[in-house]
Amino acid sequence: MTTTTDPTGPTVSTVPVAGEAEADGAETSVAIVTPPTPGLWSRARTDGVTGPAVVALSLVLVACGVALDLRRDATLGLGTGVAFVLAALAGPAVVRFRSLVTALVLQPLLFCGAAAALARLGGQNRGSREVLLDVGTTLALSAPLLFAGMSAALVVAIVRVARHLAARR
């Protein structure tokens, strides 16, 4: 059996076939063509990104926003807010349809994690009680931003569900 692989094309395997031709001394072979499997990027473009990948990418995006806010004044500000809204819009837009709920549940968790990271790493709190009070206060004062991000994610998800249902008909 001989196998050749072209990086741009299918895999071709040549298999010798036993039969009448062997009696004459000639060799007969059959070519088996295997189509190439799609790569990671092409599957992500057609099917969408997996749920864990969306979680990781959203976490990195919001962490960059938190880092910007820590450099500025260690409060939840423009960096975290913009990063959170971008993650809220992009997560449900690129995730696989069957993982859409993951992208919706992720948003409040990201926001709470950002508030906790800012409270813990900001250097203004000494104990765990102060950190918890700071996180709670930050969440209460930043509730409009959380609601805006959640609403944006919900609108994107509703549009995707409507398009999915329309395509099934």
Side-chain angles (χ1 to χ4, degrees):
M1 179 170 151
T2 309
T3 303
T4 59
T5 303
D6 181 14
T8 60
T11 303
V12 178
S13 301
T14 306
V15 181
V17 177
E20 297 175 8
E22 285 185 356
D24 297 338
E27 186 176 309
T28 306
S29 61
V30 175
I32 301 171
V33 179
T34 308
T37 58
L40 180 64
W41 292 110
S42 63
R43 280 189 311 196
R45 277 188 304 241
T46 57
D47 297 337
V49 181
T50 63
V54 166
V55 170
L57 292 172
S58 297
L59 185 64
V60 167
L61 183 62
V62 172
C64 289
V66 167
L68 286 173
D69 282 344
L70 281 172
R71 296 268 315 181
R72 193 173 55 95
D73 62 354
T75 61
L76 192 99
L78 187 63
T80 305
V82 169
F84 172 70
V85 171
L86 284 176
L89 288 171
V94 301
V95 74
R96 291 181 179 171
F97 186 76
R98 63 180 173 261
S99 300
L100 194 56
V101 174
T102 302
L104 293 176
V105 171
L106 173 66
Q107 305 313 318
L109 297 174
L110 277 176
F111 198 78
C112 290
L118 284 167
R120 185 70 181 141
L121 300 173
Q124 299 172 0
N125 302 315
R126 292 194 179 111
S128 59
R129 182 176 180 203
E130 287 181 5
V131 169
L132 286 175
L133 287 172
D134 193 14
V135 169
T137 304
T138 302
L139 289 176
L141 294 175
S142 302
L145 178 62
L146 175 62
F147 293 145
M150 284 297 301
S151 299
L154 191 59
V155 166
V156 171
I158 288 171
V159 168
R160 285 206 51 201
V161 168
R163 288 181 67 197
H164 181 74
L165 291 176
R168 289 182 68 188
R169 290 182 186 195

